[in-house]
Amino acid sequence: MNLRVIQYADIVAQIKELCLDANCNLPEDVWEALVKAQADEASPLGQNVLETILQNAQIAKEKRMPLCQDTGMVVVFAEVGQDVHIQGGLLSEAVDEGVRQAYKEGYFRMSVVKDPLERANTKDNTPAVLHVSLVAGDQLRLIVAPKGFGSENMSALKMLKPAEGVQGIKDFVVKTVSEAGGNPCPPIVIGVGIGGTVEKAALLAKRAVLREIGSTNPKPHLAELEAELLELVNLTGVGPQGFGGTQTALALFVETYPTHIAGLPVAVNINCHVARHVEATL
Amino acid sequence: MKRVLTTPLENVEALRAGDEVAISGVIYTARDAAHQRLVKLIAEGKPLPFDPKGAIIYYVGPSPAKPGEAIGSAGPTTSMRMDGLTIPLLQQGIKGMIGKGGRSSVVIEAMKEHGAVYFAAIGGAAALIAQSIKEVEAIAYPDLGAEAVHRMVVEDFPVIVAIDSQGNNLYEQGVAKYRDWRAEGAE
């Protein structure tokens, strides 16, 4: 079998470009969702907030400035084809080098501390949080999401009892969003990971929050759950910035995985309205 | 529509939760690490690096300025992280705070006692907010980088009164108004 060679330097360049793009350009799907939210919002103050958020995206794009000063900790999902050979260095080092170059060149804020207790800044925004999965084929797919912590801090995980079922999931998601209030900068995007183990549920939630707005889970009962949860979240009244309103979330995505007979893990990952997610395939 | 405020703040009693306000004048930045140092100074009876009387503190850690710019993107950070460090500053005469998200009931009580107001800037509108920041100078703790205390000259800095000096709280009143809005036909 022939392995396709992908060079370390090409991965560095791609990660750098994705980081620069993600921090300054609001994704099209998020823009469209915000435009729709502004049209649908019942609160006049909420409408003004959404107008300001849209203006911010235009200014950031024109001036090549970060949409938000919290340019985040960079989360990368790398889907590596089994027939790929990476030459010239380690994938993890290529990702970090791309982040390092982008954050310096883009005048982005360095928001990563080396040790969670000692808290000295690494001064180059590395390391990224890299999730690697092996997939079929000879390509490398890179999904890059600079993750701000106003919203990350409002995320939550709970090990429900199987008997709590769908109602337990609904209660937990609504409680998490209500208690978060204005902190995660609503209107938010919500990823819900259900099943697996404790770390699998969290990872599912993170992957879910990066889905394209407008996409639905291919399983009908889960697509239905996504719609029901989104409706419930938007009935909390939290609204844009937590000032009260009808548009609390732009989208809600559910991802699932098989789990143990004794468990029902549920993770809720929240993203702010600056829902940065970009990808490229090498 | 918008109320115009200049610093230092006086007569904040007229401001009401939900008012949209444009601030012009001088504001000071401080977030987690700077708050710890400021509160330590107060505890030791030492002077603050700025005059607290009528001052506004902005909870922000901006992104770096590009060459020729005053500042990079500069939106608010989550205010509740400063809740445990706020009251000593209110006792020194701080009249305004700018951040995002709710405040603790203890802070709100102290705001009522000292006649202070809490403004929300729009989280994530950091490039837009930066346009109203004209001058920036680090005046204390430069070792903290983006978290140092900065003196900012602002013009028409856009905020919303989130909690007023009587304790009216937009995060509670606004949300209560729209909770279960579909059932009430509020659309």
Side-chain angles (χ1 to χ4, degrees):
Chain A
M1 187 196 311
N2 286 326
L3 290 177
R4 177 167 167 254
V5 172
I6 297 180
Q7 296 294 337
Y8 170 92
D10 291 337
I11 300 171
V12 172
Q14 188 65 73
I15 292 286
K16 177 185 174 185
E17 188 187 323
L18 289 170
C19 287
L20 286 168
D21 179 32
N23 276 304
C24 301
N25 300 311
L26 195 69
E28 191 68 24
D29 61 329
V30 182
W31 171 270
E32 285 171 11
L34 286 165
V35 169
K36 182 174 183 305
Q38 196 203 5
D40 292 347
E41 177 55 58
S43 153
L45 179 57
Q47 289 168 11
N48 290 353
V49 167
L50 289 160
E51 175 64 28
T52 301
I53 287 170
L54 290 167
Q55 284 174 9
N56 181 67
Q58 287 170 324
I59 291 168
K61 188 174 186 174
E62 281 163 20
K63 301 185 95 102
R64 292 193 58 76
M65 288 176 78
L67 289 148
C68 180
Q69 79 289 340
D70 185 355
T71 42
M73 188 168 196
V74 180
V75 176
V76 176
F77 283 88
E79 295 174 5
V80 186
Q82 290 205 121
D83 302 331
V84 167
H85 173 61
I86 295 170
Q87 203 168 64
L90 290 174
L91 174 63
S92 60
E93 288 176 4
V95 166
D96 283 348
E97 182 58 25
V99 169
R100 189 174 289 124
Q101 291 182 13
Y103 275 65
K104 183 162 185 280
E105 186 176 311
Y107 289 86
F108 298 158
R109 196 181 77 183
M110 306 303 181
S111 307
V112 175
V113 295
K114 186 175 172 66
D115 181 292
L117 301 180
E118 295 173 343
R119 305 200 74 81
N121 197 301
T122 63
K123 298 192 170 148
D124 61 4
N125 219 52
T126 69
V129 176
L130 173 63
H131 305 292
V132 180
S133 55
L134 272 180
V135 298
D138 64 357
Q139 294 185 315
L140 170 61
R141 183 183 182 202
L142 297 166
I143 301 166
V144 171
K147 190 67 178 69
F149 259 53
S151 56
E152 194 72 359
N153 280 338
M154 295 297 119
S155 301
L157 185 143
K158 193 173 182 189
M159 305 302 277
L160 297 179
K161 297 176 187 74
E164 292 179 270
V166 171
Q167 190 57 49
I169 293 167
K170 287 179 179 173
D171 292 345
F172 179 56
V173 171
V174 168
K175 181 169 177 278
T176 301
V177 173
S178 287
E179 289 180 358
N183 292 330
C185 290
I188 53 179
V189 176
I190 304 167
V192 182
I194 306 171
T197 48
V198 67
E199 84 286 6
K200 184 69 181 179
L203 197 56
L204 288 168
K206 177 69 75 194
R207 188 65 192 84
V209 91
L210 303 181
R211 266 172 46 193
E212 194 79 3
I213 297 179
S215 68
T216 54
N217 192 297
K219 292 180 181 162
H221 72 292
L222 297 178
E224 197 179 318
L225 180 60
E226 287 176 342
E228 285 177 25
L229 286 171
L230 181 62
E231 169 82 6
L232 288 171
V233 161
N234 281 329
L235 287 173
T236 58
V238 169
Q241 293 290 308
F243 298 152
T246 62
Q247 306 297 309
T248 301
L250 300 173
L252 184 145
F253 305 114
V254 171
E255 293 291 329
T256 63
Y257 194 80
T259 191
H260 189 278
I261 49 172
L264 180 55
V266 182
V268 179
N269 193 216
I270 297 181
N271 210 350
C272 58
H273 61 77
V274 187
R276 295 165 286 209
H277 64 110
V278 289
E279 67 169 272
T281 300
L282 289 174
Chain B
M1 265 297 280
K2 269 197 177 178
R3 302 178 69 113
V4 175
L5 283 182
T6 54
T7 64
L9 289 182
E10 294 166 14
N11 303 324
V12 297
E13 290 75 17
L15 296 170
R16 282 292 165 271
D19 287 352
E20 295 184 63
V21 175
I23 299 172
S24 294
V26 172
I27 63 176
Y28 299 95
T29 72
R31 40 181 285 165
D32 310 53
H35 267 75
Q36 289 177 13
R37 295 194 192 182
L38 295 173
V39 168
K40 188 160 176 275
L41 282 182
I42 294 168
E44 291 167 351
K46 293 177 181 164
L48 293 173
F50 55 90
D51 182 1
K53 296 280 177 274
I56 297 178
I57 292 184
Y58 182 22
Y59 306 142
V60 62
S63 56
K66 288 183 182 175
E69 303 273 348
I71 198 166
S73 296
T77 195
T78 304
S79 305
M80 69 174 188
R81 294 200 316 271
M82 268 55 77
D83 279 352
L85 299 163
T86 295
I87 290 174
L89 290 162
L90 293 174
Q91 289 168 341
Q92 294 292 310
I94 298 290
K95 286 288 176 196
M97 299 162 283
I98 306 172
K100 70 169 166 102
R103 307 304 302 261
S104 70
S105 54
V106 176
V107 167
I108 295 172
E109 282 309 309
M111 285 169 55
K112 286 159 71 175
E113 183 187 340
H114 296 286
V117 63
Y118 169 56
F119 302 101
I122 294 179
L128 180 141
I129 289 168
Q131 308 307 307
S132 63
I133 302 170
K134 304 302 176 187
E135 294 173 32
V136 180
E137 180 194 357
I139 59 166
Y141 319 135
D143 59 300
L144 295 179
E147 294 200 52
V149 173
H150 291 88
R151 177 184 186 273
M152 288 182 170
V153 177
V154 299
E155 278 176 32
D156 294 328
F157 186 97
V159 293
I160 292 145
V161 177
I163 303 170
D164 63 32
S165 60
Q166 328 236 310
N168 296 301
N169 186 348
L170 183 60
Y171 293 108
E172 287 180 356
Q173 293 170 356
V175 174
K177 188 172 170 188
Y178 289 97
R179 189 176 295 132
D180 298 327
W181 52 277
R182 215 186 286 287
E184 292 156 27
E187 192 171 20

